[in-house]
């Protein structure tokens, strides 16, 4: 889970925020720039793994912040006669296995048959192939002049996207959130299920184990694991070439993952897990709605400013 990150947007780059017009509180979009919407109303949807806490996480706003920063870095580098490509296209569709920007990874039979346990390609990442060819470090082999200017442009962009006068207060807020266990923002990031206390999940796990026996994999964990992450040791023994969730799946991995997805479906593990997570997160929101509301308001305010900045930068 992404750690909570607070930032305060100042009025940066001469003229950028001057053109801010009226915009709906939760809808920041336009024909000439990135489209963005904060879903202040969520709907129970297992196919997307939508949860009641999604609006309070701010992932979309953080993506806008990172995109604006990347654009600023690009302009800075180009002004020095150096090439630097902006990585993300936030208007492109989201990855097939991550339809919502809430940290959830969808794993079903269709996904398993295509990608095994790997992450689906991200259509928003324009440089994924180029970075892969470069061994994961796109600019690692550039000369010292490039590296020095890159660091300066990164620092300059970071400074432009914050109000220095509010930096101390913002830092204090982060510290308080990290140390105060009673803060709803901290509690939100700590939400988790105890499978041992949920009979429906225990029964589903037993059925899943029985269904998985056909694969002949010893020492499977008691419960199905979260996909999109590292595999358990029991599977790594069968898939020695598997190192990270990225990359292409082998025929053996596709076979195992497909059986696993079918077993999670037939045992109702996936369904019961979603129901339990939905109930946990819905209960939390119902108990803390008034305390959590300021988070959405701050994300909306920041997003509105960021979209204006992004539109202006994309025109330049």
């Amino acid at each position: 889970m992404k750690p909570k990150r607070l930032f305060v947007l100042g009025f940066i780059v001469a003229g950028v925020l001057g053109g801010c017009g009226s915009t709906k509180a939760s809808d920041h979009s336009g024909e000439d720039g990135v489209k963005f919407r904060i879903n202040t109303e969520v709907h129970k949807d297992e196919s997307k793994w939508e949860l009641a806490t999604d609006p309070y996480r701010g992932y979309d706003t953080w993506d806008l912040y990172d995109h604006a920063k990347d654009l600023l870095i690009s302009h800075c580098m180009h002004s020095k006669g150096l090439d630097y490509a902006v990585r993300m296209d936030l208007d492109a569709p989201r990855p097939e296995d991550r339809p919502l920007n809430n940290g959830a990874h969808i794993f079903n039979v269709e996904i398993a048959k295509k990608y095994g346990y790997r992450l689906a390609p991200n259509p928003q990442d324009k440089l994924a192939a180029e970075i892969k060819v470069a061994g994961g470090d796109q600019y690692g082999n550039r000369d010292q002049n490039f590296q020095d200017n890159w660091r300066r442009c990164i620092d300059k962009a970071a400074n432009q996207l914050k109000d220095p006068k509010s930096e101390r207060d913002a830092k204090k807020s982060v510290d308080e959130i990290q140390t105060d266990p009673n803060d709803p923002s901290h509690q939100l990031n700590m939400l988790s299920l105890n499978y041992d206390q949920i009979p429906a999940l225990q029964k589903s796990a037993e059925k899943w184990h029985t269904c998985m026996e056909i694969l002949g994999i010893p020492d499977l964990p008691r419960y199905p694991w979260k996909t999109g992450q590292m595999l358990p040791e029991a599977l790594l023994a069968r898939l020695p070439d598997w190192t990270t969730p990225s990359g292409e799946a082998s025929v053996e991995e596709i076979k195992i993952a497909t059986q696993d997805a079918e077993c999670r479906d037939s045992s109702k593990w996936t369904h019961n897990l979603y129901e339990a997570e939905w109930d946990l997160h819905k209960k939390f929101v119902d108990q803390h709605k008034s305390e959590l509301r300021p988070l959405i308001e701050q994300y909306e305010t920041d997003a509105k400013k960021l979209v204006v900045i992004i539109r202006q930068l994309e025109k330049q």
Side-chain angles (χ1 to χ4, degrees):
M1 178 180 294
K2 250 182 182 178
K4 181 172 176 59
R5 178 173 69 184
L6 295 183
F7 50 83
V8 181
L9 294 175
F11 287 82
I12 71 168
V13 187
V16 166
L17 292 183
C20 181
S22 60
T23 310
K24 292 182 181 179
S26 61
D27 191 356
H28 313 291
S29 59
E31 295 179 358
D32 56 349
V34 66
K35 299 174 180 64
F36 173 71
R37 181 177 178 81
I38 291 179
N39 292 319
T40 54
E41 294 184 8
V42 294
H43 304 280
K44 193 174 181 181
D45 188 343
E46 182 179 330
S47 67
K48 295 181 179 179
W49 216 266
E50 193 164 2
L51 297 172
T53 52
D54 287 354
Y56 307 98
R57 296 192 178 279
Y59 288 175
D60 288 323
T61 304
W62 296 344
D63 281 354
L64 284 173
Y65 175 83
D66 289 339
H67 186 54
K69 184 177 177 181
D70 209 23
L71 283 167
L72 285 169
I73 294 171
S74 178
H75 281 280
C76 176
M77 293 290 281
H78 288 163
S79 72
K80 301 176 185 298
L82 298 169
D83 62 297
Y84 178 89
V86 175
R87 181 166 183 174
M88 304 302 288
D89 176 9
L90 299 186
D91 280 330
R94 286 193 53 79
E96 188 177 352
D97 56 350
R98 288 154 283 162
L100 297 178
N101 195 7
N102 64 357
H105 178 257
I106 304 301
F107 182 69
N108 54 38
V109 175
E110 182 180 358
I111 295 292
K113 286 182 176 179
K114 291 182 180 180
Y115 311 112
Y117 291 111
R118 313 294 174 127
L119 298 175
N122 184 358
Q124 295 184 334
D125 190 345
K126 298 184 293 184
L127 304 181
E130 184 176 335
I131 292 173
K132 181 180 179 181
V133 171
D137 191 352
Q138 185 183 11
Y139 300 120
N141 62 348
R142 300 299 293 267
D143 61 26
Q144 194 61 43
N145 178 61
F146 183 96
Q147 301 294 340
D148 291 343
N149 280 289
W150 188 17
R151 282 191 290 270
R152 293 190 192 101
C153 288
I154 290 173
D155 291 342
K156 181 179 179 181
N159 288 330
Q160 286 176 313
L161 281 177
K162 68 185 177 186
D163 181 353
K165 295 180 181 179
S166 301
E167 186 176 7
R168 185 181 299 112
D169 291 339
K171 181 65 168 64
K172 182 179 178 182
S173 298
V174 172
D175 290 342
E176 289 173 350
I177 288 171
Q178 290 176 340
T179 58
D180 183 4
N182 296 317
D183 190 292
S185 300
H186 176 80
Q187 295 176 25
L188 172 62
N189 290 333
M190 299 301 291
L191 286 178
S192 62
L193 296 172
N194 185 341
Y195 297 168
D196 291 338
Q197 295 180 358
I198 304 175
L201 290 181
Q202 294 179 46
K203 292 180 181 178
S204 290
E206 292 174 0
K207 293 179 180 178
W208 172 80
H209 262 274
T210 301
C211 180
M212 291 286 283
E213 288 178 358
I214 191 174
L215 294 174
I217 301 175
D219 301 323
L220 281 173
R222 181 180 179 187
Y223 298 108
W225 54 92
K226 288 187 176 181
T227 55
Q229 303 175 4
M230 286 297 293
L231 295 180
E233 290 295 329
L235 261 70
L236 291 177
R238 287 278 292 268
L239 303 170
D241 294 332
W242 201 99
T243 55
T244 69
S246 61
E248 296 184 6
S250 64
V251 173
E252 177 72 358
E253 181 181 334
I254 294 289
K255 173 186 174 182
I256 294 173
T258 301
Q259 178 67 22
D260 183 7
E262 291 174 347
C263 290
R264 294 185 191 216
D265 185 28
S266 64
S267 67
K268 294 190 176 181
W269 168 264
T270 299
H271 173 71
N272 288 334
L273 178 61
Y274 178 73
E275 290 291 321
E277 286 200 1
W278 172 268
D279 290 345
L280 174 69
H281 288 246
K282 181 66 165 60
K283 181 179 179 181
F284 180 81
V285 170
D286 289 344
Q287 291 176 339
H288 299 282
K289 204 158 193 174
S290 61
E291 303 159 85
L292 291 170
R293 181 62 202 179
L295 287 177
I296 291 184
E297 293 173 351
Q298 185 61 58
Y299 293 143
E300 288 178 339
T301 299
D302 289 343
K304 185 176 181 180
K305 294 178 181 179
L306 284 164
V307 168
V308 173
I309 294 168
I310 290 169
R311 286 178 185 165
Q312 293 294 328
L313 289 171
E314 289 180 337
K315 289 178 179 179
Q316 295 177 14

